[in-house]
Amino acid sequence: MSIFYFVAFLSIFFALMTIFTKNPVHSVLYLVITFFTFTIHYILLNAQFLAVVNFIVYMGAIMVLFLFVLMLLNLNKESEPIKSNLVKVMGAIAGMCMLATFLGAFRIMEVDNGFITGNADVGLVKNLGKILFNEFLLPFELSSILLLTAMVGAILLAKKERKEA
């Protein structure tokens, strides 16, 4: 249980560093470390599938893309837009909504001797595969066809037309 609290402390620390760091590249790197601590939490909570998806998709793809875009933008102090008071108020409202969601989630959790109780087999990949390929086979296959169509469309849109001489 002490590992959980240590990783939780690291998650909160690196999330705060993400918010309060002035350099956007450092902020993205702190966010990558925060996602890594989330992966450790998923492993500790016996949710291997979520851990792998978080590691591959969020840390491996999306955050590298964010870092690449930030490096290409070459942000300077002069080009940074001034944030209006409306944006700050909306951010405060969003933070309060998130706090209310957390409080509601903590209220319905069942805790027994310091441990969250529940089914131990919920996050296993084997059980997810059984449900995905038995009960939800048609929606799974339809979503794969939709993703394939989107990928082919993106390739056709990005392809440059050759001018024949």
Side-chain angles (χ1 to χ4, degrees):
M1 204 59 174
S2 62
I3 295 173
F4 179 83
Y5 288 121
F6 178 68
V7 175
F9 169 76
L10 288 178
S11 296
I12 293 170
F13 174 74
F14 286 120
L16 290 174
M17 290 297 291
T18 300
I19 295 169
F20 295 119
T21 302
K22 299 285 185 190
N23 189 344
V25 175
H26 292 164
S27 181
V28 169
L29 291 174
Y30 285 130
L31 191 58
V32 169
I33 297 171
T34 305
F35 281 145
F36 183 72
T37 59
F38 292 166
T39 302
I40 296 171
H41 278 294
Y42 290 141
I43 292 170
L44 290 175
L45 293 172
N46 200 23
Q48 294 93 0
F49 179 74
L50 288 177
V52 170
V53 167
N54 185 48
F55 188 80
I56 293 172
V57 174
Y58 286 108
M59 289 178 55
I62 295 175
M63 293 314 301
V64 171
L65 179 68
F66 281 0
L67 191 60
F68 184 68
V69 168
L70 280 176
M71 288 181 179
L72 281 178
L73 287 177
N74 195 14
L75 297 174
N76 297 325
K77 282 270 191 196
E78 299 85 31
S79 65
E80 185 175 336
I82 299 173
K83 294 180 182 166
S84 67
N85 288 332
L86 179 65
V87 173
K88 293 177 184 176
V89 169
M90 295 304 288
I93 291 172
M96 292 299 169
C97 290
M98 188 174 72
L99 180 65
T101 304
F102 283 147
L103 291 177
F106 288 139
R107 197 188 80 192
I108 63 170
M109 275 193 320
E110 296 178 21
V111 178
D112 185 28
N113 293 332
F115 294 100
I116 299 172
T117 59
N119 189 356
D121 294 334
V122 169
L124 297 179
V125 178
K126 178 181 175 183
N127 296 333
L128 178 67
K130 284 181 182 178
I131 291 174
L132 193 61
F133 291 115
N134 286 334
E135 297 176 29
F136 298 103
L137 182 62
L138 182 64
F140 180 73
E141 292 298 326
L142 289 176
S143 65
S144 66
I145 291 171
L146 179 68
L147 288 173
L148 178 66
T149 307
M151 186 171 53
V152 169
I155 290 171
L156 289 176
L157 286 174
K159 185 178 174 183
K160 293 183 180 179
E161 294 182 20
R162 293 183 184 179
K163 293 183 181 179
E164 295 183 26

